[in-house]
Amino acid sequence: MENSYWRNKVAVVTGASVGIGARTAVLLANAGMSVVGLARRVRLIETLNDQVKGEGKIFAYECDLNDEQQLTSAFTWIREKFHCIHVLVCNAGILKANFLSESSTKDIKELFDTNVVATASCLREGLKLMAEANVRGHIVVMNSVLGHRIPEVPVPLFSVYPATKHAITALCQTVRQEIHFLKLNIKLTSICPGMVDTDFLSVYSEAVAELPKLQPLEVAKAVLYALDTPDGVQVEDIILQQMRKVN
């Protein structure tokens, strides 16, 4: 990362144990940041330090973001240990492949609780920490291309997942307005990847096996691209997809 401002600053990454979150945590640590990784599988986060070279470090903190007490306790611990945060990456999310007509109310609630409510709660806690310290900050929300458009597919096993991502698109826009109203020096970038080759897609198995997919590292690099913009320049949305191979 060319922007040296973030060196020795503090970043928080949710869903940091695998996939995009793990790759993002390592990239930020290798850019010289102290990175707090939040996830339930804390051991997986701890092992990411094996990939960190230089002065950055990843701190693992076990947290189920659907548990309000655990979530607020995590940010209280961050405040006590680091005093403030400069970068917040809201990456945690889940996907359940099904028809809406066959989806249980439990699954529908779980999708909204994890993808929308937990993200909104992390945004709230992160904004409070940044505002209290009056720091120059950057919030990155891992959205989806499905937060902008719904493609025609042979078997539309989307259920309410795209609805949760459309909610995130709206949430990013309203939080940007709130930041502007409160006169905070905080940017907010929504990153919207297409299909990414992670365990996330295991719910679709063979249905997506032949489709072009991004790699988690490619999406994580989009986070660094947003952070590298000059002070006063805000990248609001990044939409990226893997191109089909041309023979």
Side-chain angles (χ1 to χ4, degrees), residues 207-218:
V208 298
E210 301 303 318
L211 296 177
K213 305 175 192 67
L214 293 161
Q215 294 302 310
L217 181 59
E218 294 167 333

Side-chain angles (χ1 to χ4, degrees), residues 101-122:
S101 56
E102 298 177 2
S103 297
S104 66
T105 300
K106 177 179 178 294
D107 282 349
I108 292 171
K109 286 183 175 179
E110 188 175 356
L111 279 160
F112 273 96
D113 283 346
T114 303
N115 295 354
V116 183
V117 178
T119 299
S121 298
C122 287

Side-chain angles (χ1 to χ4, degrees), residues 44 64 107 159 225 236 240 243:
L44 293 178
D64 179 354
D107 282 349
S159 186
Y225 170 79
E236 295 189 352
L240 64 160
M243 297 174 65

Side-chain angles (χ1 to χ4, degrees), residues 94-111 146 150 153-163 200-205 207-208:
I94 60 170
L95 171 66
K96 291 178 180 288
N98 206 347
F99 295 117
L100 177 63
S101 56
E102 298 177 2
S103 297
S104 66
T105 300
K106 177 179 178 294
D107 282 349
I108 292 171
K109 286 183 175 179
E110 188 175 356
L111 279 160
L146 293 176
I150 316 298
V153 294
V155 185
L157 296 171
F158 290 133
S159 186
V160 297
Y161 179 77
F200 210 61
L201 287 182
S202 61
V203 293
Y204 287 116
S205 61
V208 298

